[in-house]
Amino acid sequence: MGKEETPKTSGETILVSACLLGLPTRYDGKSKRSQDVLDYLQREGLTPIPVCPEQLAGMTTPRDKTFFQSGDGRAVLAGKGAAVSEKGRLMNVIFCRGAKMTLEIARLSDCRRALLKEGSPSCGVHRVYQGENKVAGVGITTALLLNSGMDVISEEDLK
Ligand code: SF4
């Protein structure tokens, strides 16, 4: 058997939305595996730390779809916005728990940046959903990571 080559790494860690890495963590039980993300991590020699804030918060998979009724992640952290499930349940507290858990993992794994899934109420970086409408804004986890000084990009920034 031939020797396997050890991939080169820069030693730098980066938080990555687990669904982008191919894990079936989404509300609908599916993944959003992105070859662009995998290629980027390899090219840059980054060590991905997979996180799913909604699973870290203790939510089941699959779970109800959630969107913003008002505001975005920044507004929720400021006590002004509202994230609600498709059944009309207010989700602010549990989504904030997932954001805090994710920040804790970033600290424990020495991540200074994150690559998160666009459009998600937790992970969105440039836009989120208010009902069926896409609006400019960030997810709740993204807002907390940005507040802590981390750089956050989405898979769409790699194109
Ligand atoms: S919370 Fe983030 S990591 Fe988890 S499934 Fe949604 S977009 Fe992916």
Side-chain angles (χ1 to χ4, degrees), residues 47-89:
T47 301
I49 306 295
V51 285
C52 175
E54 293 168 25
Q55 288 191 333
L56 288 168
M59 285 182 254
T60 58
T61 305
R63 54 189 168 274
D64 290 342
K65 190 174 183 177
T66 291
F67 50 84
F68 290 96
Q69 191 171 62
S70 61
D72 70 342
R74 282 196 186 93
V76 168
L77 292 187
K80 293 175 186 163
V84 294
S85 77
E86 58 193 330
K87 291 186 184 138
R89 189 173 152 216

Side-chain angles (χ1 to χ4, degrees), residues 68-146:
F68 290 96
Q69 191 171 62
S70 61
D72 70 342
R74 282 196 186 93
V76 168
L77 292 187
K80 293 175 186 163
V84 294
S85 77
E86 58 193 330
K87 291 186 184 138
R89 189 173 152 216
L90 187 63
M91 303 296 280
N92 288 10
V93 171
I94 196 162
F95 271 61
C96 286
R97 186 192 305 159
K100 284 179 199 153
M101 300 291 287
T102 303
L103 180 59
E104 184 62 19
I105 289 174
R107 289 191 172 134
L108 289 169
S109 54
D110 203 21
C111 292
R112 304 218 162 86
R113 51 179 165 150
L115 202 179
L116 303 183
K117 175 76 189 74
E118 194 59 84
S120 150
S122 292
C123 297
V125 178
H126 302 293
R127 59 183 164 73
V128 291
Y129 283 86
Q130 278 184 0
E132 295 296 314
N133 302 318
K134 287 180 197 172
V135 298
V138 298
I140 295 169
T141 291
T142 302
L144 190 65
L145 298 182
L146 288 169

Side-chain angles (χ1 to χ4, degrees), residues 14 16 20-21 34-44 46 113-118 125-126 152-159:
I14 180 170
V16 184
L20 290 175
L21 295 171
S34 163
Q35 193 60 48
D36 287 342
V37 166
L38 298 173
D39 290 346
Y40 171 78
L41 295 170
Q42 189 173 37
R43 199 167 58 240
E44 300 291 318
L46 298 167
R113 51 179 165 150
L115 202 179
L116 303 183
K117 175 76 189 74
E118 194 59 84
V125 178
H126 302 293
V152 186
I153 59 171
S154 82
E155 78 283 12
E156 293 182 3
D157 292 313
L158 304 180
K159 291 180 179 160

